[in-house]
Amino acid sequence: MNHSPDDRPADRPAEAPATCPADAPELFTWEFATDPYPAYAWLREHSPVHRTSLPSGVEAWLVTRYADARQALADARLSKNPAHHAEPAHAKGKTGIPGERKAELMTHLLNIDPPDHTRLRRLVSKAFTPRRVAAFAPRVQELTDRLIDDFAGKGSADLIHDFAFPLPIYAICDLLGVPREDQDDFRDWAGMMIRHGGGPRGGVARSVKKMRGYLAELIHRKRENPGDDLISGLIRASDHGEHLTEKEAAAMAFILLFAGFETTVNLIGNGMYALLRNPAQRDRLQRSLDAGEGELLETGIEELLRYDGPVELATWRFATEPLTLGGRDIAVGDPVLVVLAAADRDPARFEGPDTLDLARRDNQHLGYGHGIHYCLGAPLARLEGQTALATLLRRLPDLRLAVEPTELRWRGGLIMRGLRTLPVEFGPRPAQPPF
């Protein structure tokens, strides 16, 4: 049990104890990571706004009910700026991306509030308009088919390493304007972030430092020779009076890479795993795709985001003034973590929340957040997820798990939820002929 010492400051109300109930489930173990949903169900019922000690030693509130989660995600009193954390400065590095502070990459959308957040989001949102995402669809399909071609003839693959991981990396690199010859470097750095995300932070910090150095060089090159890509667009905005500093441009490019790939890796991996574990739903989707229909794919991707989404906890928030949430009093400086995975299985909001229903209509899930910090890249992630899953089912209709589910391992870490590997088997297929 992750009991927290009862060392609350003098201004913490007595009705908000720092200790957990004696029968509370154990959190943040490997067993918990495999299936956190029973523990979240207990918290929703018995301790919906729950103070606990995280693996890093940081004390934080976990918000698990849907109504409270929506409130917290949109509450301006909960700041994204780590400067509002009440703990000493040395602990602040435990609440963000390893290495971002030393690499001067803090000024991105996940760490700032209005008005700076409004200004930066307006600049970057131009890259994720429905029109631009739709124009990017052929490239996503091309990448998807190319990656499947690489393993289709083998009869087996690890869908994380061979498919779900490289697809969004190459896609976001294209969008940012990273030259093709440099994209494998980004794949290596991103791989280091994923492999070490739940363990020692040094490996992640080293990758962040390398990525920061490369982005600084790339920004200089784009300033001299701009193109039709996001980094060039950020530079043009800066040059035309939008007041985007070079540090801000580098931080924005970094967070789009960092947040824009792992969420989609997990969407594809978790989504395909859920379909393989729910054969009736998978067969239903396969029949719909074979009939040339797209409606079930669209509702299905939303259901997969709700059912076992890629982001388990929303990124850090810090109380800037005293507030009450779910009947608990939150003190100034307290970290608050909204548990999206728990909120999206709340029976008070979703009928049959533990059942996968690809045709679910009333599905205002929180998989990509809510409020002003709603995920900017959600349209691109949806496109990649839909394209990836539909193409896998179309080209490899006999896809099946190659191991027992009990043999699979989930990556450690606080924010993201994703499989380490997803070994599958299928009848070998020839590569698709070139267009």
Side-chain angles (χ1 to χ4, degrees), residues 267-281:
L267 171 57
I268 297 169
N270 297 5
M272 197 66 229
Y273 179 59
L275 292 175
L276 292 170
R277 296 296 307 281
N278 292 268
Q281 291 292 307

PDB file of all heavy atoms in Angstrom, residues 267-281:
ATOM      1  N   LEU A 267      -2.183   4.355 -28.566  1.00  0.00           N
ATOM      2  CA  LEU A 267      -3.511   4.219 -29.168  1.00  0.00           C
ATOM      3  C   LEU A 267      -3.559   3.013 -30.096  1.00  0.00           C
ATOM      4  O   LEU A 267      -4.496   2.200 -30.041  1.00  0.00           O
ATOM      5  CB  LEU A 267      -3.868   5.495 -29.938  1.00  0.00           C
ATOM      6  CG  LEU A 267      -5.131   5.435 -30.803  1.00  0.00           C
ATOM      7  CD1 LEU A 267      -6.365   5.058 -29.989  1.00  0.00           C
ATOM      8  CD2 LEU A 267      -5.352   6.770 -31.519  1.00  0.00           C
ATOM      9  N   ILE A 268      -2.550   2.859 -30.935  1.00  0.00           N
ATOM     10  CA  ILE A 268      -2.519   1.731 -31.864  1.00  0.00           C
ATOM     11  C   ILE A 268      -2.306   0.419 -31.108  1.00  0.00           C
ATOM     12  O   ILE A 268      -3.004  -0.570 -31.340  1.00  0.00           O
ATOM     13  CB  ILE A 268      -1.415   1.944 -32.922  1.00  0.00           C
ATOM     14  CG1 ILE A 268      -1.720   3.185 -33.772  1.00  0.00           C
ATOM     15  CG2 ILE A 268      -1.276   0.708 -33.817  1.00  0.00           C
ATOM     16  CD1 ILE A 268      -0.563   3.622 -34.661  1.00  0.00           C
ATOM     17  N   GLY A 269      -1.340   0.404 -30.191  1.00  0.00           N
ATOM     18  CA  GLY A 269      -1.035  -0.826 -29.460  1.00  0.00           C
ATOM     19  C   GLY A 269      -2.168  -1.260 -28.549  1.00  0.00           C
ATOM     20  O   GLY A 269      -2.625  -2.411 -28.611  1.00  0.00           O
ATOM     21  N   ASN A 270      -2.652  -0.340 -27.706  1.00  0.00           N
ATOM     22  CA  ASN A 270      -3.756  -0.676 -26.802  1.00  0.00           C
ATOM     23  C   ASN A 270      -5.014  -1.015 -27.595  1.00  0.00           C
ATOM     24  O   ASN A 270      -5.779  -1.920 -27.220  1.00  0.00           O
ATOM     25  CB  ASN A 270      -4.070   0.494 -25.860  1.00  0.00           C
ATOM     26  CG  ASN A 270      -2.919   0.850 -24.942  1.00  0.00           C
ATOM     27  OD1 ASN A 270      -1.827   0.302 -25.047  1.00  0.00           O
ATOM     28  ND2 ASN A 270      -3.164   1.791 -24.046  1.00  0.00           N
ATOM     29  N   GLY A 271      -5.237  -0.260 -28.692  1.00  0.00           N
ATOM     30  CA  GLY A 271      -6.434  -0.486 -29.489  1.00  0.00           C
ATOM     31  C   GLY A 271      -6.437  -1.847 -30.154  1.00  0.00           C
ATOM     32  O   GLY A 271      -7.452  -2.572 -30.127  1.00  0.00           O
ATOM     33  N   MET A 272      -5.299  -2.238 -30.743  1.00  0.00           N
ATOM     34  CA  MET A 272      -5.235  -3.538 -31.399  1.00  0.00           C
ATOM     35  C   MET A 272      -5.332  -4.651 -30.368  1.00  0.00           C
ATOM     36  O   MET A 272      -5.986  -5.683 -30.611  1.00  0.00           O
ATOM     37  CB  MET A 272      -3.932  -3.662 -32.191  1.00  0.00           C
ATOM     38  CG  MET A 272      -3.940  -4.782 -33.213  1.00  0.00           C
ATOM     39  SD  MET A 272      -5.136  -4.472 -34.540  1.00  0.00           S
ATOM     40  CE  MET A 272      -6.002  -6.028 -34.603  1.00  0.00           C
ATOM     41  N   TYR A 273      -4.721  -4.467 -29.219  1.00  0.00           N
ATOM     42  CA  TYR A 273      -4.800  -5.478 -28.166  1.00  0.00           C
ATOM     43  C   TYR A 273      -6.252  -5.646 -27.695  1.00  0.00           C
ATOM     44  O   TYR A 273      -6.730  -6.775 -27.502  1.00  0.00           O
ATOM     45  CB  TYR A 273      -3.901  -5.074 -27.004  1.00  0.00           C
ATOM     46  CG  TYR A 273      -3.913  -6.039 -25.849  1.00  0.00           C
ATOM     47  CD1 TYR A 273      -3.532  -7.371 -26.017  1.00  0.00           C
ATOM     48  CD2 TYR A 273      -4.284  -5.611 -24.574  1.00  0.00           C
ATOM     49  CE1 TYR A 273      -3.534  -8.256 -24.943  1.00  0.00           C
ATOM     50  CE2 TYR A 273      -4.278  -6.495 -23.498  1.00  0.00           C
ATOM     51  CZ  TYR A 273      -3.907  -7.813 -23.697  1.00  0.00           C
ATOM     52  OH  TYR A 273      -3.912  -8.682 -22.637  1.00  0.00           O
ATOM     53  N   ALA A 274      -6.959  -4.540 -27.531  1.00  0.00           N
ATOM     54  CA  ALA A 274      -8.365  -4.615 -27.115  1.00  0.00           C
ATOM     55  C   ALA A 274      -9.206  -5.355 -28.152  1.00  0.00           C
ATOM     56  O   ALA A 274     -10.084  -6.148 -27.798  1.00  0.00           O
ATOM     57  CB  ALA A 274      -8.922  -3.212 -26.878  1.00  0.00           C
ATOM     58  N   LEU A 275      -8.936  -5.122 -29.426  1.00  0.00           N
ATOM     59  CA  LEU A 275      -9.684  -5.825 -30.479  1.00  0.00           C
ATOM     60  C   LEU A 275      -9.369  -7.317 -30.469  1.00  0.00           C
ATOM     61  O   LEU A 275     -10.264  -8.157 -30.647  1.00  0.00           O
ATOM     62  CB  LEU A 275      -9.356  -5.222 -31.846  1.00  0.00           C
ATOM     63  CG  LEU A 275      -9.851  -3.785 -32.085  1.00  0.00           C
ATOM     64  CD1 LEU A 275      -9.343  -3.270 -33.425  1.00  0.00           C
ATOM     65  CD2 LEU A 275     -11.373  -3.719 -32.032  1.00  0.00           C
ATOM     66  N   LEU A 276      -8.101  -7.656 -30.264  1.00  0.00           N
ATOM     67  CA  LEU A 276      -7.729  -9.064 -30.217  1.00  0.00           C
ATOM     68  C   LEU A 276      -8.342  -9.765 -29.003  1.00  0.00           C
ATOM     69  O   LEU A 276      -8.638 -10.969 -29.057  1.00  0.00           O
ATOM     70  CB  LEU A 276      -6.203  -9.203 -30.187  1.00  0.00           C
ATOM     71  CG  LEU A 276      -5.480  -8.778 -31.474  1.00  0.00           C
ATOM     72  CD1 LEU A 276      -3.974  -8.726 -31.244  1.00  0.00           C
ATOM     73  CD2 LEU A 276      -5.805  -9.715 -32.629  1.00  0.00           C
ATOM     74  N   ARG A 277      -8.550  -9.047 -27.906  1.00  0.00           N
ATOM     75  CA  ARG A 277      -9.150  -9.630 -26.706  1.00  0.00           C
ATOM     76  C   ARG A 277     -10.677  -9.642 -26.772  1.00  0.00           C
ATOM     77  O   ARG A 277     -11.330 -10.232 -25.902  1.00  0.00           O
ATOM     78  CB  ARG A 277      -8.710  -8.849 -25.462  1.00  0.00           C
ATOM     79  CG  ARG A 277      -7.230  -8.898 -25.160  1.00  0.00           C
ATOM     80  CD  ARG A 277      -6.717 -10.280 -24.820  1.00  0.00           C
ATOM     81  NE  ARG A 277      -7.440 -10.950 -23.750  1.00  0.00           N
ATOM     82  CZ  ARG A 277      -7.274 -10.722 -22.453  1.00  0.00           C
ATOM     83  NH1 ARG A 277      -6.380  -9.806 -22.050  1.00  0.00           N
ATOM     84  NH2 ARG A 277      -7.947 -11.399 -21.552  1.00  0.00           N
ATOM     85  N   ASN A 278     -11.248  -8.942 -27.732  1.00  0.00           N
ATOM     86  CA  ASN A 278     -12.703  -8.866 -27.891  1.00  0.00           C
ATOM     87  C   ASN A 278     -13.068  -9.266 -29.318  1.00  0.00           C
ATOM     88  O   ASN A 278     -13.407  -8.417 -30.153  1.00  0.00           O
ATOM     89  CB  ASN A 278     -13.201  -7.452 -27.583  1.00  0.00           C
ATOM     90  CG  ASN A 278     -13.055  -7.080 -26.120  1.00  0.00           C
ATOM     91  OD1 ASN A 278     -13.960  -7.274 -25.323  1.00  0.00           O
ATOM     92  ND2 ASN A 278     -11.894  -6.526 -25.771  1.00  0.00           N
ATOM     93  N   PRO A 279     -12.986 -10.559 -29.631  1.00  0.00           N
ATOM     94  CA  PRO A 279     -13.124 -11.012 -31.014  1.00  0.00           C
ATOM     95  C   PRO A 279     -14.457 -10.658 -31.661  1.00  0.00           C
ATOM     96  O   PRO A 279     -14.505 -10.400 -32.873  1.00  0.00           O
ATOM     97  CB  PRO A 279     -12.935 -12.533 -30.921  1.00  0.00           C
ATOM     98  CG  PRO A 279     -13.116 -12.872 -29.478  1.00  0.00           C
ATOM     99  CD  PRO A 279     -12.689 -11.680 -28.704  1.00  0.00           C
ATOM    100  N   ALA A 280     -15.553 -10.618 -30.911  1.00  0.00           N
ATOM    101  CA  ALA A 280     -16.840 -10.267 -31.511  1.00  0.00           C
ATOM    102  C   ALA A 280     -16.821  -8.829 -32.012  1.00  0.00           C
ATOM    103  O   ALA A 280     -17.326  -8.533 -33.115  1.00  0.00           O
ATOM    104  CB  ALA A 280     -17.964 -10.470 -30.496  1.00  0.00           C
ATOM    105  N   GLN A 281     -16.233  -7.920 -31.241  1.00  0.00           N
ATOM    106  CA  GLN A 281     -16.127  -6.530 -31.669  1.00  0.00           C
ATOM    107  C   GLN A 281     -15.162  -6.386 -32.841  1.00  0.00           C
ATOM    108  O   GLN A 281     -15.424  -5.622 -33.785  1.00  0.00           O
ATOM    109  CB  GLN A 281     -15.663  -5.662 -30.499  1.00  0.00           C
ATOM    110  CG  GLN A 281     -16.691  -5.522 -29.391  1.00  0.00           C
ATOM    111  CD  GLN A 281     -17.905  -4.723 -29.823  1.00  0.00           C
ATOM    112  OE1 GLN A 281     -17.792  -3.607 -30.330  1.00  0.00           O
ATOM    113  NE2 GLN A 281     -19.084  -5.298 -29.625  1.00  0.00           N
TER     114      GLN A 281
END
